[in-house]
Amino acid sequence: MELYFWWTAYPYICIAILVVGTFYRFVFRGKSWTAPSTEIFEKKWLKYASVIFHYGIIFAFFGHVMGMLIPLEFYNAIGVDDHTYHLFAIVGGGFAGLMVVLGLLLFLIRKFVIERVNVHTTAGSYFTIILLLLVAGLGTYMTIVYNTTVAAYEYRLSIGPWFRSLFTLNPQPELMLGVPGLFKLHVILSFLLFASIPFTKLVHMFSFPLRYPTRAPQQYRSRDSYSKNTRQN
């Protein structure tokens, strides 16, 4: 029963919450579909934290695609042996994970030490950052420490096929039986993160920034400068 819940029912529940919740928010609460910027309150910390985090999460996303969605047989067919794959996974995945963790830590410290940012930070923002830290921290630890000191766990024979089986509507929970506990916890927290997306500002990840390269940049001016220019004109 426990095996069925965590590796069949629980993922589908989280995916259902993600899909239905995102649809509801987009249709009925469209004005909340945003990640309000706090740049007007503080720029220096945000500049570094945002760039490091977003580049790290992009690299981590493609790393997970390569590990979870692409079957082991494909790598064997193109001549990529296990040693080479794990070497690139540890180096590339570890670097991406460290970027994500560093960016999140900078976000969190900024919210604590910058008073104006702290005042405008909601409980949902703290929840999002802390949950992301847990997921990214576990993933980074497993990639850099576990895989180099304990064993280079071959998740492409267990977690990968199990994950793909969910999307073919033919779940195979038995594949998760021998998976180390840290990896299981990482998966469980990841699905919890997916389920939380419609209720946090992470929902903005579904907004494709196709117009960003040609959009005029936002400009912030102090009220005093605006009043002075108005009087002069």
Side-chain angles (χ1 to χ4, degrees), residues 70-119:
I70 300 179
L72 174 63
E73 292 76 15
F74 174 82
Y75 292 102
N76 293 334
I78 63 175
V80 178
D81 58 55
D82 294 347
H83 175 74
T84 302
Y85 173 85
H86 284 293
L87 178 62
F88 276 96
I90 291 171
V91 175
F95 181 71
L98 288 174
M99 288 182 68
V100 174
V101 171
L102 177 58
L104 289 169
L105 287 174
L106 290 176
F107 277 134
L108 194 59
I109 294 171
R110 175 177 178 266
K111 292 181 183 299
F112 280 121
V113 302
I114 307 299
E115 184 177 356
R116 291 195 296 174
V117 177
N118 181 273
V119 169

Side-chain angles (χ1 to χ4, degrees), residues 190-207:
S190 297
F191 273 98
L192 177 61
L193 179 65
F194 297 154
S196 72
I197 288 176
F199 312 102
T200 66
K201 61 183 180 181
L202 285 177
V203 75
H204 78 282
M205 66 185 287
F206 296 124
S207 298

Side-chain angles (χ1 to χ4, degrees), residues 149-181:
T149 61
V150 181
Y153 180 68
E154 187 53 272
Y155 48 82
R156 294 178 296 170
L157 293 176
S158 55
I159 304 177
W162 165 78
F163 185 73
R164 295 193 297 274
S165 75
L166 295 175
F167 293 94
T168 60
L169 302 182
N170 182 32
Q172 302 177 45
E174 65 277 3
L175 290 171
M176 298 297 290
L177 278 173
V179 175

Side-chain angles (χ1 to χ4, degrees), residues 133-147:
L133 262 176
L134 289 173
V135 173
L138 268 175
T140 305
Y141 173 82
M142 292 185 302
T143 300
I144 298 177
V145 180
Y146 188 95
N147 282 335

